[in-house]
């Protein structure tokens, strides 16, 4: 990057010039989120500011004032950080001002709380078509724990009938202009997911009359499904409330919650945390442990133990009386 000594570029100029470089580092879905974050937050805040004039406090102030959910604000911070990294490589600034930003503390997400229980899984199956490509696609997410784009990217040849596994090596999604983009998985690693007995007939049906390189779970016309056309075909916005509802202020049921469901069920089926991590493709065991539901298991065990302990005391008597006297005798 060659610039005159007095020609320090603005954040907007750097973004416009090097957006192709930034986009090349990330997945198509992430790129769409970053582009939106630039238009709605980063650009209005910093586009006209010379890159060497931005301080960490400026970034923290902008983060506090940006609208939207925390995740969308984090996307905006990531976009700005990428631009600053470009400036560092161009020797325009010595350090990234985004690196020292203190984000507000948030309660950890609980993906297990987003998972469907058995009655909810049954309701999901009831709202789906009785057969056909859309039902097979949704079952693909539910049985494998794959992300939606990963299911869309599966080919017939990815199924290994000898080992009863499916190789997950790519994701298929729509690009910025609606074009099909084939890329690596989020973790950029190939992994294997199980082919459980109930899922076998679904995969057999999906593979019929197809070549090894054909899509395993395409739409009815053979094209790749994405969240938009899948939701539209199933009228998902109107029927998902029949499957599971959440408290006011929480987002409604998402397709990604089927991944949460599958990983939670794997723990309930007895898989170890390292096994679930390998199937899920998580980068760390800490991420996987969030699905283990250990807090609920501990609470259930505590409920049984405390119920047995307190039972002789008769403390459930709403009128007090003898129960109150017995409690007093015990020094409670």
């Amino acid at each position: 990057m060659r610039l005159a000594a007095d020609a320090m570029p603005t954040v907007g100029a750097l973004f416009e010039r090097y957006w192709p470089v930034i986009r090349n580092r990330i997945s198509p879905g992430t790129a769409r989120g970053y582009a939106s974050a630039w238009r709605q937050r980063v650009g209005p805040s910093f586009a006209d500011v010379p890159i060497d004039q931005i301080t960490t406090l400026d970034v923290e102030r902008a983060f506090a004032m940006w609208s939207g959910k925390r995740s969308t604000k984090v996307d905006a911070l990531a976009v700005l950080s990428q631009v600053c990294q470009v400036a560092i490589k161009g020797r325009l600034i010595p350090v990234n001002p985004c690196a020292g930003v203190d984000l507000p503390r948030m309660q950890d997400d609980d993906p297990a709380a987003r998972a469907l229980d058995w009655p909810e899984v049954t309701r999901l199956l009831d709202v789906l078509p009785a057969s056909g490509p859309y039902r097979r696609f949704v079952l693909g997410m539910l049985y494998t724990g794959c992300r939606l784009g990963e299911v869309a990217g599966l080919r017939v040849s990815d199924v290994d009938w000898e080992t009863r596994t499916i190789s997950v090596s790519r994701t298929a999604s729509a690009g910025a202009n609606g074009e099909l983009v084939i890329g690596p998985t989020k973790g950029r690693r190939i992994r294997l997911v199980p082919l459980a007995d109930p899922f076998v007939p679904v995969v057999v049906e999906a593979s019929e009359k197809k070549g090894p390189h054909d899509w395993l779970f395409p739409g009815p016309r053979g094209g790749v499904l994405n969240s938009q056309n899948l939701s539209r075909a199933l009228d998902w916005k109107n029927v998902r409330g029949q499957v599971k509802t959440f408290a006011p202020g929480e987002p409604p049921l998402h397709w990604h919650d089927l991944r949460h469901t599958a990983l939670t069920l794997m723990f309930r089926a007895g898989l170890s945390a390292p096994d679930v991590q390998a199937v899920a493709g998580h980068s760390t065991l800490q991420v996987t442990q969030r699905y283990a539901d250990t807090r609920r298991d501990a609470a259930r065990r505590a409920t049984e133990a405390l119920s047995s302990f307190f039972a002789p005391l008769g403390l459930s008597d709403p009128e007090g009386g003898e129960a109150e006297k017995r409690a007093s005798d015990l020094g409670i």
Side-chain angles (χ1 to χ4, degrees), residues 19-20 22-37 39 75 149-150 170-186 188 226 228:
W19 169 239
I22 296 171
R23 186 177 56 199
N24 193 51
R25 302 171 181 163
I26 55 182
S27 68
T30 302
R32 290 195 298 272
Y34 279 15
S36 175
R39 291 192 305 270
D75 274 354
E150 293 171 343
R170 73 189 70 84
T171 183
S173 60
N177 299 313
E179 74 280 10
L180 176 63
V181 177
I182 306 299
T185 63
K186 184 176 180 180
R188 299 183 181 274
N226 56 48
Q228 288 78 21

Side-chain angles (χ1 to χ4, degrees), residues 225-275:
L225 290 174
N226 56 48
S227 60
Q228 288 78 21
N229 55 34
L230 181 65
S231 296
R232 185 167 55 249
L234 296 177
D235 194 24
W236 185 240
K237 289 184 178 180
N238 292 322
V239 302
R240 60 186 172 185
Q242 300 174 34
V243 178
K244 185 180 181 71
T245 59
F246 298 91
E250 294 186 31
L253 187 66
H254 290 167
W255 290 121
H256 196 71
D257 293 327
L258 298 189
R259 173 171 163 86
H260 297 328
T261 300
L263 300 184
T264 300
L265 292 178
M266 288 179 191
F267 272 109
R268 294 181 183 177
L271 272 70
S272 67
D275 284 346

Side-chain angles (χ1 to χ4, degrees), residues 133-150:
Y134 298 118
R135 183 182 182 91
R136 290 196 294 266
F137 190 98
V138 174
L139 290 177
M141 288 188 284
L142 184 64
Y143 277 112
T144 67
C146 288
R147 302 173 180 88
L148 190 148
E150 293 171 343

Side-chain angles (χ1 to χ4, degrees), residues 2 44 215 272:
R2 295 182 178 179
W215 300 119
S272 67

Side-chain angles (χ1 to χ4, degrees), residues 15-235:
F15 178 83
E16 183 176 352
R17 182 182 178 101
Y18 293 103
W19 169 239
V21 175
I22 296 171
R23 186 177 56 199
N24 193 51
R25 302 171 181 163
I26 55 182
S27 68
T30 302
R32 290 195 298 272
Y34 279 15
S36 175
W38 171 263
R39 291 192 305 270
Q40 299 182 36
R41 297 174 182 83
V42 183
S45 297
F46 293 106
D48 297 328
V49 181
I51 189 66
D52 65 340
Q53 297 299 309
I54 298 176
T55 68
T56 298
L57 281 175
D58 292 332
V59 180
E60 287 189 0
R61 179 178 181 275
F63 189 96
M65 297 181 66
W66 283 334
S67 62
K69 298 182 297 183
R70 186 176 190 271
S71 60
T72 60
K73 295 166 71 171
V74 168
D75 274 354
L77 178 62
V79 175
L80 182 58
S81 180
Q82 290 279 359
V83 176
C84 291
Q85 285 300 119
V86 166
I88 291 174
K89 286 188 175 182
R91 299 181 181 180
L92 298 173
I93 56 176
V95 295
N96 188 336
C98 299
V101 170
D102 290 324
L103 297 182
R105 300 177 68 88
M106 299 289 291
Q107 182 172 308
D108 290 340
D109 292 336
D110 184 6
R114 301 286 305 182
L116 306 181
D117 58 26
W118 281 121
E120 291 163 346
V121 169
T122 300
R123 293 201 291 270
L124 171 66
L125 299 180
D126 287 341
V127 303
L128 295 176
S131 61
Y134 298 118
R135 183 182 182 91
R136 290 196 294 266
F137 190 98
V138 174
L139 290 177
M141 288 188 284
L142 184 64
Y143 277 112
T144 67
C146 288
R147 302 173 180 88
L148 190 148
E150 293 171 343
V151 175
L154 292 175
R155 299 187 188 275
V156 174
S157 58
D158 292 326
V159 181
D160 187 331
W161 290 105
E162 183 177 352
T163 61
R164 293 283 295 275
T165 59
I166 302 175
S167 176
V168 183
S169 61
R170 73 189 70 84
T171 183
S173 60
N177 299 313
E179 74 280 10
L180 176 63
V181 177
I182 306 299
T185 63
K186 184 176 180 180
R188 299 183 181 274
R189 301 184 185 93
I190 298 175
R191 70 182 193 276
L192 299 178
V193 299
L195 180 52
D197 285 348
F199 191 41
V200 168
V202 178
V203 177
V204 169
E205 183 181 42
S207 304
E208 289 178 351
K209 300 179 180 179
K210 291 180 181 176
H213 305 302
D214 290 336
W215 300 119
L216 183 60
F217 296 113
R221 298 181 181 178
V224 171
L225 290 174
N226 56 48
S227 60
Q228 288 78 21
N229 55 34
L230 181 65
S231 296
R232 185 167 55 249
L234 296 177
D235 194 24

